[in-house]
């Protein structure tokens, strides 16, 4: 698990705080994380309370500052929503995330970049690099001038 440090010099704007507020509001009204076999869905108390806690702790002043406790609340909500939390539902049980929610999540990622620093242990860094290399199917090569696919395994 990476170590997360809060920045003292956050450099956030009232617009950044508004992005978090809109995200928390959307989650509190439109997202669900508990699904029954009969197709019904509900919002867990945990999801509701995290969205409300974020909304309640935001500083809407001209020079906002988010405390480490507030930053942790935003991180906890963001992590929960990135998992099994959906705001789009279709026929036959289809669940998804709308482009609006994905855009808000990206905006919150940008704000979180201003609020926190992630430190990975050497083992975590090695694991992350291995996962990235595997997922991206990148193969190291010394020759970048041509297509050297002959020397790599084909799928």
């Amino acid at each position: 698990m990476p170590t997360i440090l809060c920045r003292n010099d956050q450099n956030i704007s009232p617009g950044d705080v508004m992005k978090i507020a809109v995200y928390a509001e959307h989650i509190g009204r439109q997202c669900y994380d508990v699904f029954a076999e009969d197709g019904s869905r509900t919002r867990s108390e945990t999801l509701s309370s995290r969205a409300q806690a974020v909304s309640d702790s935001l500083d809407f002043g001209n020079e906002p500052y988010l405390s480490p406790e507030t930053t942790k609340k935003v991180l906890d909500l963001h992590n929960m929503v990135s998992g099994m939390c959906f705001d789009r539902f279709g026929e036959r049980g289809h669940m998804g995330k709308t482009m609006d929610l994905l855009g808000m999540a990206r905006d919150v990622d940008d704000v979180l970049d201003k609020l926190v620093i992630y430190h990975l242990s050497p083992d975590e860094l090695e694991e992350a690099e291995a996962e990235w290399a595997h997922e991206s199917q990148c193969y190291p090569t010394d020759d970048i001038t041509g297509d050297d696919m002959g020397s790599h395994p084909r799928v």
Side-chain angles (χ1 to χ4, degrees):
M1 186 68 135
T3 302
I4 299 172
L5 303 173
C6 292
R7 296 179 190 261
N8 290 328
D9 181 17
Q10 298 177 341
N11 193 28
I12 61 170
S13 68
D16 291 332
V17 174
M18 187 55 72
K19 289 175 185 177
I20 295 170
V22 168
Y23 180 69
E25 179 73 16
H26 181 82
I27 292 163
R29 292 181 185 257
Q30 302 294 325
C31 293
Y32 297 89
D33 63 336
V34 177
F35 308 98
E37 300 226 356
D38 67 359
S40 65
R41 59 188 180 260
T42 57
R43 191 171 299 108
S44 70
E45 181 59 36
T46 303
L47 181 61
S48 295
S49 64
R50 285 185 183 179
Q52 189 62 49
V54 167
S55 294
D56 292 345
S57 63
L58 294 176
D59 174 2
F60 290 99
N62 288 334
E63 294 182 28
Y65 175 80
L66 297 183
S67 69
E69 294 80 21
T70 299
T71 301
K72 181 166 179 6
K73 290 174 186 177
V74 174
L75 281 167
D76 289 345
L77 178 63
H78 191 54
N79 288 336
M80 186 173 193
V81 171
S82 68
M84 293 296 294
C85 183
F86 303 101
D87 67 339
R88 181 177 183 179
F89 305 94
E91 294 179 19
R92 290 181 243 122
H94 170 75
M95 299 179 288
K97 290 177 172 43
T98 62
M99 291 306 292
D100 287 343
L101 179 59
L102 295 173
M104 287 182 257
R106 188 178 49 249
D107 289 345
V108 170
D109 278 336
D110 293 343
V111 176
L112 286 171
D113 285 344
K114 297 177 183 182
L115 298 173
V116 298
I117 301 169
Y118 298 93
H119 285 283
L120 299 174
S121 71
D123 292 338
E124 290 170 326
L125 185 58
E126 185 177 314
E127 185 179 316
E129 287 173 348
E131 182 68 23
W132 180 83
H134 173 73
E135 290 296 323
S136 66
Q137 297 294 312
C138 287
Y139 300 99
T141 180
D142 292 332
D143 177 20
I144 60 171
T145 59
D147 182 9
D148 190 22
M149 289 303 292
S151 64
H152 302 297
R154 295 186 186 253
V155 179

